[in-house]
Amino acid sequence: MLSPIASLSLSTLIEKLQSAELRSVDLTTAFMDSIADHDARLGAFVHLDRDVALQQAADVDAKRDAGESQGPLAGIPVAVKDVLCMKGQPATCASRMLKGFVPPYDATVIAKLKQAGAVVIGRTNMDEFAMGSSGENSAFHPTRNPWDTERIPGGSSSGSAVAVAARMAPLSLGSDTGGSIRQPAGLCGIVGMKPTYGRVSRYGLIAYASSLDQVGPFATDVTGAALLLEAIAGHDPLDSTSVNKPVPEYSKTVDHPLAGLKIGVPVEHFAEGLAPDVEKAVRAALEVYKSLGAELKEVHLPHSKYAVATYYLIATSEASSNLARYDGVHYGHRAEKFDSLGEMYEASRGEGFGDEVKRRIMLGVFALSAGYADKYYTKALQVRRLIRGDFDSAFREVDVIAGPVTPTAAFKLGEKTSDPLSMYLSDIYTISANLAGLPGMSIPCGFTAEGLPIGLQLQAAPFEEERLFRAARMYERETDWHTRLPPMAH
Ligand code: GLN
């Protein structure tokens, strides 16, 4: 059973905090209790520090009592993926390699959360080093989907999605390199957004593939995601790839519908491999837009058939380079038994990394190796440019692109663990946004006959997050999918 507080919407929670009807300490306690009730079964968290969370909440309450001005998320608990550094809290990326690592500094997004008054309630489980689509690659334990605990919640931000879907936190942060926010949001029936590359600082985000990684929000509704992005976005001198553009107040305009909205429907996203129940829900969502006056237009993304291959060359190449630092000397686990320096590296990396991470490193090292780099890595960069070109052409004709988030609803735990290629295909519709640097989001748009959530993906041109939120909210106002609670929460 959910406590009455944990089942309230984010906007109600904010109102109650602002009117002093509710104190952050009580609110935070209610969510911590919800974690205590449900997480043994769901496995969404890898680290909780009740005292630290309650102290942050008490500080917010004290400031409010003193009449001091408060940030927009003052007193609201936010769960964060274990890939983000927070001073004094362990950060493991759900890997044995980083067991015991306690960062001496805050990631910029964490510093911004604190500035906004948010309470960091806990650290969430994930696929090791953000490599995976099911949450099963965590070195600690898998995370389960609250709509059916025999099924995966998606990944790699598995715990952040489940924390929000099961109302163990009203908001959370994830990271998305190829779909890791949108895919689990879709499979868990909540809202997830990947911002434009450069919109949010990556400083203190433990790197997987630096040219693709972005941090973004999970929430139960579009307005919540808008509020959280507003809090974390913006230029950061500590991340040279963050872009110096003003951050619009997304939450202020989210309720303004877009007149004359043109929606692109990519034929390639409705092709072979798309489950009929997913297609039906997504097409029904497009009809809702039509009834609101939007124009639907077929668009083509001809190079999208190369997206998965391109992504797995670029992401693994960057990963093999980023993960070279975990050698047991600079960073990471050090083996106890070895006879030489070479053996020490070998044993440390062999013991510290899980199978999927090793597979990615080997693929990346191969794609970058002398004699092959031109054939693989350089070629992939060229195709990446073509994929971006497809989107540039499409966005000359339409305002947003809509389609499915994933080809199927949540699959069973263990179903794809021995077949990496079929696992990789779970991101077939989300990967292109990362390659092209675009913002994309997932919003709930229905359920399968078995009661599993289905997501609608919306994508826009770079830095058009405001338009994306407004378009998403237009649909959300007409439907009640986002208000449904998973069975375990009743
Ligand atoms: N599933 C993809 C991968 O395994 C995407 C992961 C992500 O976005 N972090 O690489």
Side-chain angles (χ1 to χ4, degrees), residues 81 129-133 155-156 175-181 208 213 311-312 315 356 360 423-424 427 431 434:
K81 187 175 179 179
F129 282 103
M131 297 172 188
S133 310
S156 64
S175 65
D176 190 312
T177 306
S180 283
I181 292 175
Y208 162 15
D213 298 339
Y311 171 84
Y312 277 95
E356 186 59 28
R360 305 287 178 106
M423 186 77 93
Y424 296 174
D427 301 301
I431 267 173
N434 302 76

Side-chain angles (χ1 to χ4, degrees), residues 342-358:
E343 265 183 36
M344 191 266 284
Y345 289 147
E346 213 176 293
S348 300
R349 287 169 70 83
E351 292 167 13
F353 290 134
D355 287 349
E356 186 59 28
V357 175
K358 288 178 186 159

Side-chain angles (χ1 to χ4, degrees), residues 172-174 181 191-195 215-219 224-226 228-229 232 469:
S172 66
L173 286 182
I181 292 175
V191 174
M193 120 88 66
K194 179 199 95 73
V215 179
F218 286 100
L228 186 50
L229 179 62
I232 60 167
F469 284 128

Side-chain angles (χ1 to χ4, degrees), residues 196-197 245 388 391-392 395 436-439 460-465:
T196 308
Y197 186 76
K245 266 181 184 276
R388 170 64 185 260
F391 281 103
D392 290 345
F395 286 124
L438 313 173
F463 297 100
E464 295 287 0
E465 282 86 357

